[in-house]
Each structure stands twice: as C-alpha cells, then as structure tokens.
Amino acid sequence: MSTPFASAAPFHARYRPPYPAEFYRLLADRFALDGWQTVLDLGAGPGANSLALAPLVDHVYAVDPEPAMLAEGRRLAEERGCTNVSWLEGDASVVSRLCLPRIDLCVIGSAFRRMDRVRVLADLDAMLAPRGGIVLVSSAAGPEGQSPPWISVVEEVCAHFLGADGRAEDGVAGPDDPARLEDLDEHLAKSAFSRIDTTVWNQRLRFTADQLVGLQLSFPRSSPALLGDRQGAFESALRQALLDHDPGGTYTRTVAVTATLATRPRP
C-alpha cells in the first residue's frame, strides 16, 4: 500500500517551486564551492537541492528515507545528465552509519523539524570538515500581511475532502511560525555549529490552477494515498473552485525563503 510520502513523490518532484537562485549563489560564495567539495543533502526528497548544487561541487549524497522520493531524484538526474549525485536510502538517525567521506556542506530542508535535532547535529559534527557547515532552508508565508484570497479556496476544498487535518499547507509549504524558527536557532546555538547567520528572500511565485492542484497532491496531508479513489473528484473540484474564484487562471503569492547558515565558531 502506498504511503502518503510515496504517493506524493511524483507531484513533489514536478510541482514544488524551487528555491531562488540567490540561495545557491549564497552557498557558493559562503562555502567557496569550486567543484571540489562534497555535499550532504539530508532529507533530500526528490533532490531539488542536490541537483541544483551538483554543478558546483565534486559530489552530492542525497539521503532520504522514502524510496519513491529517491526514485524521482534518480529520474530527474538522468534526464539532466547529472552523474555526480548518489541517492541513498536512510533517515537522519542512520546518517553516521552510511560510511560517507568527509562532508564540506550539509543542506537540510524542512525535514529538520522531524529529526532528533540534538543527535543529528552531534553526528554532523563528527562528519563535517573543520570549515564545513550546515544550511537549514525553508519557505513560509511572506510579508503580505495576509494570505491571498485563493488560499482560502484551496483550504475549503481540502477540508471538504480530507477534514480539518487535511487542510491546505498554506498553498505552498507548511507554515513556519516565529516560535518554531527560534527553536531551531536554539538547537544550533547549543551545538558545535553555533555561529549562525540567517538570510531571507521574498520570492514571488506564480501558479496556474493545474499547478496548484498538483502542488496539493505533493503534500503528505493531501496526497493521493489519503485521497484514494476520491483523487479524481478532488482534482476536478479544486480546479473548478479556483477557476470560479479567478477565471483568469493565474494565482500569485510571495513566500519568505529563510536560509540559516551554521558553522563552528572561529578560533
């Protein structure tokens, strides 16, 4: 039986918006990525970060516990002719046992919230090069003050089909509230990687109705596995509701992309 994460994998690979190019330029500058480094993408999903960083480094290890996500990553890598990414099954609890070489940079997306943070930071301390670092990156509601009206349309359809627990994940990604972000910083401050620098970009996103339907299927809480035989009806209802709301068929919003760079204190 397909799990929510497995069934969401093809939609995750196709419909999740990429992080802005400025994010990868920041990493290239701050970590002097010149084609010789080794990167760990922990909780990689289908490897958006892995594939974006691969041209800048010698090798990327993409680690994720969901085989379907890794399969999507391999497919995308083959399509793009990317040969310097290794796709490894495992979660953060086993990363120290994967026998990886010395790591120069570890990138972790929103999956960091689901990890044993104290343990994974200690494991990474043993794995990262002396001048290596960790980057936590995620998207959250932007500076608009309130969500665009079409978010409510998505939420209503998701709630109708899946109940309150299946509500839309803010249209783009799971919500980040300030308390949770502060909690992440506290864990970093208590770790070996206590030198913290945070950069935020406001990223303007534009979707069609079909893209928003696919985006919702990319989230575990509204995945094909949970919708079951209602998936077709869900897709039709959501598409129609969006077009009824705005017949122009274009939906925009701004998200805040936050990158937290954590390194060891300088001597």
Side-chain angles (χ1 to χ4, degrees), residues 8 18 39 60 62 71 89 104 117 119-120 133 137 139 160 162 169 173 176 191-192 195 216 225 227 256 266:
V39 171
V60 180
E89 184 178 344
D104 298 293
R117 300 166 195 172
R119 176 176 176 177
V120 73
V137 59
S139 296
H160 174 74
L162 295 162
E169 304 220 16
D176 285 332
S191 76
R195 185 168 177 256
Q216 290 309 311
L227 286 163
R266 291 176 178 173

Side-chain angles (χ1 to χ4, degrees), residues 39-112:
V39 171
L40 169 63
D41 185 3
L42 188 56
N49 287 325
S50 296
L51 295 172
L53 289 168
L56 306 176
V57 301
D58 179 59
H59 202 85
V60 180
Y61 292 91
V63 177
D64 196 89
E66 176 49 63
M69 290 288 184
L70 297 173
E72 287 296 319
R74 292 188 189 96
R75 179 184 63 79
L76 291 171
E78 185 174 354
E79 287 180 359
R80 302 178 191 184
C82 179
T83 59
N84 64 330
V85 179
S86 296
W87 305 91
L88 305 177
E89 184 178 344
D91 61 23
S93 67
V94 303
V95 67
S96 64
R97 302 198 295 271
L98 293 177
C99 299
L100 301 181
R102 181 69 72 182
I103 300 297
D104 298 293
L105 172 63
C106 176
V107 180
I108 311 177
S110 58
F112 187 63

Side-chain angles (χ1 to χ4, degrees), residues 13-266:
R14 182 173 180 182
Y15 292 107
R16 291 286 183 97
Y19 291 123
E22 291 88 346
F23 168 58
Y24 301 105
R25 286 198 289 268
L26 175 68
L27 299 191
D29 178 62
R30 290 292 299 275
F31 293 97
L33 303 183
D34 58 5
W36 292 96
Q37 291 76 23
T38 301
V39 171
L40 169 63
D41 185 3
L42 188 56
N49 287 325
S50 296
L51 295 172
L53 289 168
L56 306 176
V57 301
D58 179 59
H59 202 85
V60 180
Y61 292 91
V63 177
D64 196 89
E66 176 49 63
M69 290 288 184
L70 297 173
E72 287 296 319
R74 292 188 189 96
R75 179 184 63 79
L76 291 171
E78 185 174 354
E79 287 180 359
R80 302 178 191 184
C82 179
T83 59
N84 64 330
V85 179
S86 296
W87 305 91
L88 305 177
E89 184 178 344
D91 61 23
S93 67
V94 303
V95 67
S96 64
R97 302 198 295 271
L98 293 177
C99 299
L100 301 181
R102 181 69 72 182
I103 300 297
D104 298 293
L105 172 63
C106 176
V107 180
I108 311 177
S110 58
F112 187 63
R113 298 179 194 85
R114 299 188 295 272
M115 297 175 183
D116 181 337
R117 300 166 195 172
V118 174
R119 176 176 176 177
V120 73
L121 290 171
D123 287 344
L124 290 174
D125 184 29
M127 298 172 63
L128 265 68
R131 293 186 176 273
I134 299 170
V135 178
L136 307 179
V137 59
S138 62
S139 296
E144 297 163 328
Q146 60 182 11
S147 297
W150 59 262
I151 293 287
S152 297
V153 175
V154 178
E155 289 177 341
E156 288 174 6
V157 175
C158 287
H160 174 74
F161 279 85
L162 295 162
D165 290 340
R167 62 190 181 277
E169 304 220 16
D170 202 20
V172 176
D176 285 332
D177 60 67
R180 294 177 73 181
L181 293 176
E182 290 174 5
D183 181 54
L184 299 184
D185 284 351
E186 287 179 7
H187 279 86
L188 290 170
K190 295 176 181 178
S191 76
F193 304 93
S194 59
R195 185 168 177 256
I196 302 168
D197 183 23
T198 299
T199 302
V200 181
W201 300 270
N202 292 324
Q203 183 181 19
R204 190 68 173 171
L205 300 174
R206 184 180 300 270
F207 304 96
T208 65
D210 285 344
Q211 287 172 332
L212 283 178
V213 172
L215 183 63
Q216 290 309 311
L217 296 172
S218 79
F219 296 121
R221 286 191 292 180
S222 51
S223 67
L226 294 184
L227 286 163
D229 57 11
R230 299 169 295 165
Q231 180 181 340
F234 170 81
E235 293 183 31
S236 297
L238 180 53
R239 186 179 296 107
Q240 190 60 56
L242 287 165
L243 293 173
D244 288 345
H245 169 75
D246 183 353
T250 301
Y251 311 88
T252 61
R253 77 160 311 170
T254 300
V255 297
V257 176
T258 301
T260 301
L261 282 62
T263 54
R264 300 180 180 92
R266 291 176 178 173

